[in-house]
Each structure stands twice: as C-alpha cells, then as structure tokens.
Amino acid sequence: MSDHVDSGSDPEGVASGRPPSPDGETAVQRLEPSDGEGSVELVGTAHVSSASVEEVEETIADRQPDVVAVELDEGRYRQMKGGTPEDLDASDLLHGNTVFQFLAYWMLSYVQTRLGERFDIEPGADMMAAVETAEEHGLGVALVDRDIQTTIQRFWQRLSAREKATMFGGLLAGMVGTLGAGLGIGASLGLFVAFGAELVAGPLLLTPGLADAVPLVGGSLLVLLDGVLLAGAITLLVGLPIAALLSYALDTDTEYEEFDIEELTDTDVVSAMMEEFRQFSPGGAEALIDERDAFIAHRLVALREAGYDVVAVVGAGHRAGIQSYLDNPETLPPMESITGTLKQKRFSLYKLFGYLFTVGFAVFFGLLVLGGAKEGWVIRLLVAWFLVNGIAALSLAKLAGAHWPSALVGGGIAWLTSVNPLLAPGWFAGYVELRYIDVNIADISTLNEIVSDEEAPLGELYGRLTDVPLFRLIAIVAMTNVGSMIASYGFVFIVLPYMSAEVGGIPGIVDLMLDGVENGARIVLDVIS
C-alpha cells in the first residue's frame, strides 16, 4: 500500500517528510529528504483517453519515481477510492452563490462525462491509473491540485453575467437540445409576463366580443385563453432567438464522430482549445487553468526541492504552464494569491439599492402602523402579505420535495425576503433542508448518469433527479423563491385591489398610506422634540 501525501495545503510539510500531523495530513514516510536535487517529469494526459491511461502506467513502471503526483485534491481522491467527499456545509448556503457554483461544476463535469461516454472510458481514468500503478509498485502518491470547491468558487466569481448565462444555456442545451432550451427559457418568461399582463390589462389578443359570440367563452375563460396565447407568442418570440444564439455560441453542428480524442494531448491542439476558452472567458480561464498551473507547480517545486524524483500526471492543458514554472520557479505567484475564496465587492449599486429599499420599506410601514391608518386596516394588509407569500412559498417548496420544517421556514420568511432584494426565502429553506439530506460533489456523477439516459420518459427522469440530494436542494431553493415571487406579483394585482375596495380603491390606498405616514412622522417628531 502506498503512502498518501496530501500536499494540498502544506508544501513545506510535504517536503520535510515529517510524521503524520494530528489532522490526518501525511507526508512521504518511507523516504528521507535527500541532500541532492530532485526531479519532476510531467506526463500530460487527456482525462477521457485510453491511450493516456497506457502512457501513465508505462511511464511510472519504467521510471520508478519516489513519488507519483496526481492532479487531484483530497475530496476527489476520496471519491475515486470509493469514499464520500465532504458534505456541503449548511452555513455555506446563506452565502447565496453556493448552489450556482454546484451548477457550474455540474456543467463542467457533464461535458467531461459525455466525452467519456462517446469514447467509452471513465473520466479520470488516467488519474486512477496513476494512483493504482503507484500502489502496485509501493510508490508515494501526492495530491497536488487545489480543492475543487475553491476552484469552482473562484471560477464562478470571475465569470461575467453573459458568460454565466451562456454556461447554463449550454447545460440546458446538452440535456434537451438548443431548441428545447430556448423554448423552455421563453416559456418561463412568457408565463410570467402573460400572468401579469392579464391581471393589469385584461385580454390583449382576443377581443371581448368573442365572449358574446361564443357562449362557452365567458369573461374568465377569455382571459385564460388570451393569457395562454400571449404566453405562447412570447415563448416563440423569445425562445427561438435564444435557441439560435445557443446554437451559434455552442456550435452544436460539430461532427464529433470525426474527433480524435488522442489529439487532446497534442500541444498545438491543446493550445488552440485553451486559447478558445480564454477568448470566451478570460477570468474563467485564469481560475481554471492559470491559477491551478501555479498551485500545482508550487507543490511540485516543494517535492523537487525536498530531493524527491517525481512523475506528475496532469491534464495536457496544464502541462505547458506548469513546465514553465518548473523551469523558472522564481516567477511563481505567492501561494496566498491563488488560494482561498474570492470575496465579492464590498460596494455595489445593487447592494446599496437593496439596503436602501429595505430600510425605506421598514421606515414607511413603521410610520404607517404608528399613525394608526384606518384603525387596523394596515395590520390586516400586512397579515395578508404574510399569508399570501407564506402559503405560496411553502406550497412550492413542498412540491419540490422539502421536508415540513424546511417548507415552513421558507414560507415563514418569504414575506420579509420579498421586500429585501439581498435575501431569498429559498436560501433559508435550503439551509434547514440540509439538516435532513447530505449534499456533496459525488451527487454530480449521479446526476450525469441520469441526464445521459436519453430514452427515459421526462416524468420518470424528473423523479429520478429529485431522488438525488443535490438536485432536490436546487429544486427546493428555486421553487421556494419562485413561490414568493409569484405571491408578490399576485398580491399587488389581485389581493391589494380586492382589499382596497373598503378604502376607496387604489387612490384611497395612496391617500390612506400618506396620511398614516404623516401622522406617524408627526408622533415621532413630537417625541424627539
């Protein structure tokens, strides 16, 4: 059995050959650091190539290095060895972007999985071959890649809004095709817009005279039919251009059957692919490629300086960058600049607007209640706001498969988050749901297997997806937020007009609120003065 070197966070410890640390981190125990200079030989591989697997096995067997370094972090290593990666910490969900980062990783993993299926090889077989060959020969194994969750977080932060939209459009297109993805996005927008338009303006496409001409078509049914037609029109007007843009951006007409997977280890081909990705997302390329080149090079330099002879198995896309750092280690950026998570900007107009809006809302209704507008009418309004938002968010959370405590928390907080752009009830529902389910990166592989089943009916496919904790979490977060959004929309255009009848309609509401705020402000000023 080989010694396992976790060089992900302690290059000096790895180089020193010291005994295992209390937190479980280990170094190469069977070797003492040499006074001589070590060496590093890079083997560039394609992660879905059988030829790469053979090259890895032959190189390690021939060279018999002290250490085999692999492009893996601790979590992926444990998963590869049949263990379970670390679960998602519930507190991470309240950072807001965690679910989206999992989606980003899912997209990247999905692409690799589909390539593996096309070329009939398990993704990551090259790394598994390196680990197993090292174990067969009693060699040390060093994990030299950066933690995957850190990489994905930094990758997500570096993407622009357009790049994020293109990424998720590509994920949808991979599942249902570009036309299905475009129409799906168009339908979502169409239903939302049509619902509001019918509430505000009534029938827009069908004439009211149709209700008189056709006995079965009453007023409500006329509005419903008009809404369906309007949603369908928006679906086509928005969905078809999106489908065309996705088709162009993703170049879905490429003949993959003529693609030679072994070309992925060719320097010219790899350089061209890296340059294409860099043109699509310079920031994303920096997080996924450049920073990891430097991180891995730091680990390899530490091993080399400790006197170890190393064979490092890395993706072909990293080979040139790592070799450049190995040849010129003085050019390596400081380790602290490529580790840890990237913080969001402390100041943004969006955050400023969110804070001002929330504070303004609280002050406005505080003064309104203090002013005693219409003897409790405002209190009934707030109760209605709480119930409408709560019931809608709770119902959709349950529909997504949430446990009752999760759904109740999402529903209970929905009234507040609906007036705070910086918060979402789905985050809180998901936070509680993580007390009942375990979500980790291993779920990505399960999702890839389910999505790749092109013969399963859509209903069965969705049922299998909801059995996967990660997908259920994403569905609960999304559906709770959608419920609150629909409730807010419906409250403004349905509940508020209904309740306003007793105070003189919408104009009466405005006058009532202004009078209440004025009275409340007068009371506050009297107390202060």
Side-chain angles (χ1 to χ4, degrees):
M1 184 68 179
S2 68
D3 295 302
H4 162 216
V5 185
D6 179 1
S7 57
S9 59
D10 188 6
E12 290 77 13
V14 170
S16 68
R18 68 191 183 194
S21 60
D23 63 2
E25 192 173 289
T26 60
V28 181
Q29 300 168 32
R30 67 182 188 81
L31 294 173
E32 291 296 331
S34 170
D35 294 334
E37 182 72 13
S39 65
V40 176
E41 178 179 348
L42 295 178
V43 179
T45 66
H47 297 314
V48 289
S49 167
S50 57
S52 290
V53 171
E54 296 174 2
E55 180 185 4
V56 166
E57 293 172 342
E58 291 174 359
T59 302
I60 294 174
D62 291 343
R63 301 293 189 275
Q64 290 290 306
D66 300 323
V67 179
V68 175
V70 289
E71 185 192 322
L72 291 173
D73 66 331
E74 182 70 28
R76 284 180 292 162
Y77 174 83
R78 285 201 306 268
Q79 183 181 353
M80 182 177 291
K81 299 296 287 183
T84 303
E86 293 182 6
D87 295 333
L88 173 66
D89 190 336
S91 62
D92 290 341
L93 190 65
L94 294 183
H95 293 168
N97 278 332
T98 302
V99 171
F100 295 109
Q101 291 163 25
F102 264 93
L103 283 171
Y105 180 68
W106 182 10
M107 192 216 74
L108 296 172
S109 174
Y110 178 75
V111 171
Q112 191 175 79
T113 298
R114 293 303 297 267
L115 281 173
E117 291 174 351
R118 184 174 296 278
F119 297 102
D120 194 27
I121 188 170
E122 184 74 19
D126 52 344
M127 298 300 153
M128 176 62 83
V131 171
E132 291 179 344
T133 305
E135 291 175 346
E136 291 174 4
H137 293 273
L139 309 175
V141 175
L143 311 179
V144 295
D145 201 1
R146 186 170 62 184
D147 180 78
I148 183 61
Q149 294 194 40
T150 298
T151 295
I152 292 300
Q153 191 275 342
R154 295 174 72 93
F155 171 69
W156 178 259
Q157 287 294 101
R158 295 278 176 78
L159 291 179
S160 67
R162 178 189 63 81
E163 293 163 355
K164 291 173 182 177
T166 303
M167 275 187 55
F168 290 122
L171 179 61
L172 285 174
M175 296 179 184
V176 298
T178 53
L179 180 61
L183 293 179
I185 296 171
S188 300
L189 179 64
L191 289 172
F192 184 77
V193 171
F195 177 74
E198 296 299 328
L199 289 175
V200 175
L204 298 175
L205 302 180
L206 299 178
T207 61
L210 181 63
D212 299 329
V214 183
L216 295 179
V217 180
S220 299
L221 183 56
L222 181 66
V223 172
L224 177 61
L225 290 175
D226 191 78
V228 171
L229 289 175
L230 181 59
I234 295 174
T235 297
L236 294 176
L237 289 174
V238 174
L240 291 178
I242 290 178
L245 287 173
L246 286 174
S247 180
Y248 173 77
L250 302 173
D251 193 17
T252 54
D253 294 329
T254 301
E255 294 294 334
Y256 291 104
E257 289 76 13
E258 300 176 1
F259 183 77
D260 184 1
I261 191 64
E262 307 311 334
E263 292 181 355
L264 282 181
T265 57
D266 181 80
T267 302
D268 293 337
V269 174
V270 170
S271 298
M273 293 178 66
M274 295 301 100
E275 181 59 29
E276 185 174 347
F277 179 56
R278 202 174 298 278
Q279 290 178 2
F280 165 71
S281 175
E286 184 178 357
L288 281 183
I289 303 170
D290 301 339
E291 290 183 354
R292 290 173 63 213
D293 287 351
F295 188 98
I296 293 171
H298 265 291
R299 300 307 184 216
L300 296 179
V301 168
L303 290 169
R304 183 176 66 184
E305 290 179 350
Y308 298 135
D309 292 324
V310 181
V311 167
V313 181
V314 299
H318 294 287
R319 180 172 51 189
I322 295 172
Q323 187 63 59
S324 176
Y325 284 128
L326 291 176
D327 294 339
N328 304 281
E330 69 278 2
T331 63
L332 277 168
M335 181 61 87
E336 58 268 21
S337 69
I338 54 175
T339 55
T341 57
L342 292 176
K343 296 182 179 179
Q344 296 181 347
K345 296 179 181 179
R346 293 186 176 182
F347 174 81
S348 71
L349 290 176
Y350 173 74
K351 285 186 176 181
L352 178 62
F353 171 78
Y355 291 133
L356 291 177
F357 184 88
T358 303
V359 171
F361 180 88
V363 171
F364 181 84
F365 274 95
L367 293 175
L368 193 61
V369 172
L370 186 62
K374 196 65 178 183
E375 298 180 354
W377 180 84
V378 173
I379 301 298
R380 296 200 304 274
L381 182 70
L382 291 176
V383 170
W385 177 264
F386 175 84
L387 291 176
V388 170
N389 271 274
I391 292 173
L394 182 149
S395 299
L396 267 68
K398 283 299 295 179
L399 185 64
H403 288 78
W404 273 109
S406 311
L408 287 170
V409 167
I413 201 72
W415 71 277
L416 178 61
T417 56
S418 60
V419 295
N420 187 338
L422 303 179
L423 295 177
W427 298 352
F428 295 88
Y431 179 89
V432 177
E433 188 65 23
L434 283 172
R435 308 295 180 179
Y436 299 93
I437 61 176
D438 296 325
V439 173
N440 56 57
I441 290 178
D443 292 339
I444 298 290
S445 300
T446 306
L447 290 174
N448 288 338
E449 293 176 5
I450 296 173
V451 172
S452 299
D453 187 354
E454 299 177 353
E455 299 180 357
L458 188 60
E460 178 187 333
L461 196 66
Y462 180 77
R464 291 165 58 190
L465 286 172
T466 54
D467 289 336
V468 181
L470 173 58
F471 187 87
R472 183 183 298 176
L473 176 67
I474 293 171
I476 290 170
V477 171
M479 293 291 279
T480 306
N481 292 339
V482 168
S484 180
M485 181 178 63
I486 292 175
S488 301
Y489 213 158
F491 185 88
V492 172
F493 294 112
I494 299 177
V495 178
L496 194 58
Y498 174 79
M499 293 186 66
S500 68
E502 62 182 279
V503 294
I506 300 298
I509 291 179
V510 175
D511 293 338
L512 178 66
M513 288 186 172
L514 290 177
D515 290 341
V517 170
E518 184 178 351
N519 293 336
R522 189 177 297 111
I523 293 173
V524 172
L525 290 175
D526 290 342
V527 172
I528 294 176
S529 59

